């Protein structure tokens, strides 16, 4: 009898020790099941139309030629998107127009390298004077427009080694929103306006856009220098650069976009621009 009791007590002790070891080592089935639903990484070729935001996320998408980009409409309303009217060898070389019902998707395959500027033509408008997308009054994130940019990487032949951009008199705006140059080329900005304007890089866009920070340029206007000042910048690193005038726009840190000051002459259109260096 005493021998049987000893064996029973020994079995109980072994079971208790085993349970303690499992608890200490995390070796239970419950712990394993917590890892059966890992976080899903964002699709690198997908743009989301955010619910009740009337914005595209991300604002700038970088893809390779041959990529099929899918727009996921997570909104409760339908959306129609189209490329802007401006086009060149590098800007909108493959125009597109898509319509998505609520909670549906639409796709487009990009085969030509370049920069594509598109917008929702029901929630934003194309300003024919400034050649920019302008937000409609009353949209949720006004003055941000429902606009997006897709950069399809790849070689583009025939790009110039130098180009110029002007800030017109009486306008808080760059004449050209999109410029492209060959690697090692330069861009000169001439300020024909009264105010001083600044060239600053938009931060927070990851590695593919603005991978090399630009030195801020202050360009004096005709109030401080006769005929206005001209300054140039050389781009030694290929890539896409997104910049703005820090004197007449600010950075919306939620969406990583330039946002026009209310007192800027072209508001709600921000004073910003893109440079493609190929």
């Amino acid at each position: 009898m005493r021998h049987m009791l000893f064996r029973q007590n020994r079995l109980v002790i072994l079971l208790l020790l085993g349970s303690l070891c499992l608890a200490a080592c995390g070796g239970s089935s419950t712990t394993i099941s917590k890892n059966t639903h890992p976080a899903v990484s964002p699709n690198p070729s997908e743009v989301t139309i955010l619910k009740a935001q009337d914005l595209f996320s991300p604002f700038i998408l970088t893809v390779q030629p041959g990529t099929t980009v899918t727009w996921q409409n997570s909104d409760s309303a339908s959306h129609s998107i189209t490329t802007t009217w401006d086009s060149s060898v590098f800007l909108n070389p493959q125009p597109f127009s898509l319509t998505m019902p609520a909670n549906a998707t639409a796709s487009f395959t990009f085969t030509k390298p370049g920069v594509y500027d598109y917008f929702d033509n029901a929630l934003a408008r194309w300003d024919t004077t400034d050649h920019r997308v302008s937000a409609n009054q009353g949209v949720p994130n006004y003055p941000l427009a429902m606009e997006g940019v897709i950069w399809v990487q790849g070689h583009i032949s025939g790009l110039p080694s130098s180009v110029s951009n002007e800030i017109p008199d009486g306008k808080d705006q760059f004449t050209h929103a999109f410029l492209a140059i060959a690697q090692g080329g330069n861009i000169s900005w001439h300020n024909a306006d009264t105010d001083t304007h600044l060239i600053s890089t938009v931060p927070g866009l990851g590695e593919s856009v603005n991978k090399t920070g630009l030195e801020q340029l202050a360009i004096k206007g005709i109030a401080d220098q006769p005929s206005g000042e001209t300054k140039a910048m050389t781009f030694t690193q290929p890539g896409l650069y997104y910049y703005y005038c820090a004197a007449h726009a600010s950075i919306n840190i939620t969406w990583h976009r330039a946002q026009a000051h209310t007192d800027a002459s072209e508001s709600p259109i921000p004073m910003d621009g893109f440079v493609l260096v190929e």
Side-chain angles (χ1 to χ4, degrees), residues 112-127:
K112 295 183 179 181
V115 180
Y116 296 81
D117 183 25
Y118 68 95
F119 69 109
D120 185 312
N121 56 15
L123 297 168
R125 65 182 181 86
W126 177 246
D127 188 298

Side-chain angles (χ1 to χ4, degrees), residues 195-207:
D195 301 339
T196 294
H197 292 280
L198 304 173
I199 305 292
S200 303
T201 304
V202 176
L205 293 171
E207 296 181 358

Side-chain angles (χ1 to χ4, degrees), residues 40-151:
V40 178
S41 300
N43 189 333
S45 60
E46 182 175 282
V47 178
T48 301
I49 297 175
L50 301 167
K51 185 176 181 179
Q53 297 293 325
D54 293 340
L55 289 177
F56 299 106
S57 179
F59 170 53
I60 304 172
L61 179 69
T62 303
V63 299
Q64 297 296 318
T67 300
T68 298
V69 175
T70 299
W71 283 263
Q72 171 65 55
N73 185 4
S74 300
D75 200 5
S76 58
S78 62
H79 289 274
S80 296
I81 61 174
T82 183
T83 43
T84 59
W85 317 145
D86 285 354
S87 64
S88 67
V89 67
F90 75 91
L91 179 60
N92 297 332
Q94 192 179 358
F96 63 87
S97 182
L98 303 169
T99 299
M100 287 152 288
N103 299 309
T105 63
S107 300
F108 186 81
T109 301
F110 291 87
T111 60
K112 295 183 179 181
V115 180
Y116 296 81
D117 183 25
Y118 68 95
F119 69 109
D120 185 312
N121 56 15
L123 297 168
R125 65 182 181 86
W126 177 246
D127 188 298
T128 56
T129 300
D130 286 334
H131 289 255
R132 300 290 201 288
V133 176
S134 178
N136 288 351
Q137 289 276 357
V139 294
N141 287 282
Y142 186 87
L144 293 182
M146 192 167 182
E147 179 183 16
V149 173
I150 294 176
W151 174 29

Side-chain angles (χ1 to χ4, degrees), residues 32-38:
I32 295 172
S33 67
K34 289 179 181 178
N35 295 323
T36 57
H37 300 289

